Amino acid sequence: MERIGVIGGGLMGSGIAEVVARAGLDTIVIEVSDEAAKVAEERIHGSLERALTRGKIDEAELAAVTGRITVATDLEALADRDLVVEAASEREDVKLELFRRVGAILEKDEAILASNTSSIPIVKLGAVAGRADRVMGVHFFNPAPVMQLVELIPSLTTSPETLGRMQAFVSEKLGKQPIEATDRAGFVVNSLLVPYLLSAIRMYEAGYASAADIDKGMVLGCGHPMGPLALSDLIGLDTIRAIGVSMYEEFKEPLYSPPPLLDRMVDAGLLGKKSGHGFYAY
């Protein structure tokens, strides 16, 4: 797999595109508008500039990686791709429509269509794509250029060959560490992480302590690198809510249900770091 497409140039999509391009692969990022495409280009270049400043890459590699990335707005540009990773909004209706359209666009029978979803059933995406055996979840973590883990999620209809190709691609080509998870909402990491984050939000909502003290307690008391409310801001409060809703719909466990404060913050546009304000101001 040498020609890669990424749908979505947000925090996750741009990070995935950078990882793929740094692995030496031809990369196309699809965004919804020219304005969004420009923002995606700036986001990718900014990340590469930070890598340069930290000595992770040199000027020559920065130029080479930038040259491998094209940002476009037409899904038809994905037609010749060997692998397309969808990293669009965590909304089931949006993802289903994208998989329906891209499944019809891909020219190569062996091309794989993957989703970076955190919680939406992979089997549903495969059912609308017209290539159910070549659809699976490939869940990166933020920031993708730094985080080593990638969850691989085959559905009931994903072929063993597709899973094997993705295991080799992630470990050998991208240099990441894959783990395999079943096609259940939340997979491995979010099934453990999201209830913890929602519990911290409920604690803050109930007035147990300030956001800063809750986070300080978990950093200094449990050795976590980041507190749960700061981490929620980093992930995006809309994403946290969407994952919680999806997990609650599947399992009906109260601990997965988003608390009212989270609903209100998302409705108010207080989404965390990406909007400039969440539990903290940025």
Side-chain angles (χ1 to χ4, degrees):
M1 293 185 283
E2 300 293 333
R3 295 174 179 268
I4 314 300
V6 179
I7 302 175
L11 288 175
M12 288 307 307
S14 61
I16 294 167
E18 180 184 336
V19 168
V20 169
R22 286 174 68 170
L25 305 175
D26 179 75
T27 308
I28 292 178
V29 180
I30 300 297
E31 260 296 358
V32 295
S33 66
D34 291 337
E35 182 180 356
K38 183 179 179 181
V39 172
E41 287 179 332
E42 292 172 349
R43 185 177 287 117
I44 294 168
H45 190 72
S47 177
L48 290 169
E49 288 284 357
R50 289 190 293 274
L52 176 66
T53 300
R54 294 167 184 163
K56 303 295 184 181
I57 60 174
D58 57 24
E59 290 280 3
E61 186 176 357
L62 187 152
V65 172
T66 302
R68 296 186 194 111
I69 300 175
T70 302
V71 183
T73 58
D74 187 355
L75 285 173
E76 295 288 340
L78 301 173
D80 67 345
R81 300 291 98 177
D82 303 307
L83 167 67
V84 174
V85 180
E86 173 273 317
S89 173
E90 191 69 5
R91 287 176 47 191
E92 186 171 312
D93 59 334
V94 171
K95 292 183 186 294
L96 288 172
E97 177 63 13
L98 284 171
F99 271 68
R100 184 189 66 77
R101 293 176 62 189
V102 177
I105 289 168
L106 290 172
E107 296 172 348
K108 299 179 182 179
D109 287 341
E110 68 274 17
I112 295 174
L113 183 49
S115 178
N116 187 61
T117 181
S118 302
S119 58
I120 292 170
I122 304 301
V123 71
K124 287 187 178 182
L125 302 177
V128 301
R131 52 177 65 229
D133 59 325
R134 286 148 290 165
V135 171
M136 62 178 294
V138 181
H139 184 217
F140 291 78
F141 290 82
N142 187 33
V146 175
M147 300 294 281
Q148 284 296 301
L149 182 68
V150 178
E151 289 179 318
L152 298 180
I153 307 98
S155 78
L156 291 172
T157 54
T158 303
S159 70
E161 178 188 7
T162 296
L163 175 59
R165 290 176 66 199
M166 286 309 305
Q167 287 171 330
F169 178 78
V170 168
S171 60
E172 297 170 16
K173 186 70 75 170
L174 302 185
K176 300 289 189 183
Q177 298 291 326
I179 61 173
E180 185 180 341
T182 57
D183 186 15
R184 295 162 61 94
F187 314 133
V188 173
V189 173
N190 281 323
S191 289
L192 294 169
L193 176 63
V194 170
Y196 160 65
L197 300 180
L198 296 177
S199 292
I201 295 170
R202 291 189 190 97
M203 178 176 282
Y204 175 70
E205 182 178 40
Y208 277 61
S210 67
D213 281 348
I214 291 171
D215 282 352
K216 187 176 182 180
M218 295 308 295
V219 170
L220 299 182
C222 293
H224 291 198
M226 181 181 291
L229 300 178
L231 180 56
S232 296
D233 275 356
L234 177 63
I235 294 170
L237 301 190
D238 53 339
T239 300
I240 297 294
R241 182 173 73 166
I243 297 170
V245 167
S246 181
M247 292 171 66
Y248 180 74
E249 288 178 353
E250 179 149 327
F251 301 112
K252 298 299 186 289
E253 292 280 359
L255 73 165
Y256 296 143
S257 180
L261 175 62
L262 180 59
D263 290 334
R264 300 296 186 275
M265 292 179 73
V266 172
D267 291 343
L270 304 175
L271 307 182
K273 195 168 185 180
K274 62 185 173 185
S275 72
H277 204 292
F279 292 103
Y280 301 93
Y282 299 89

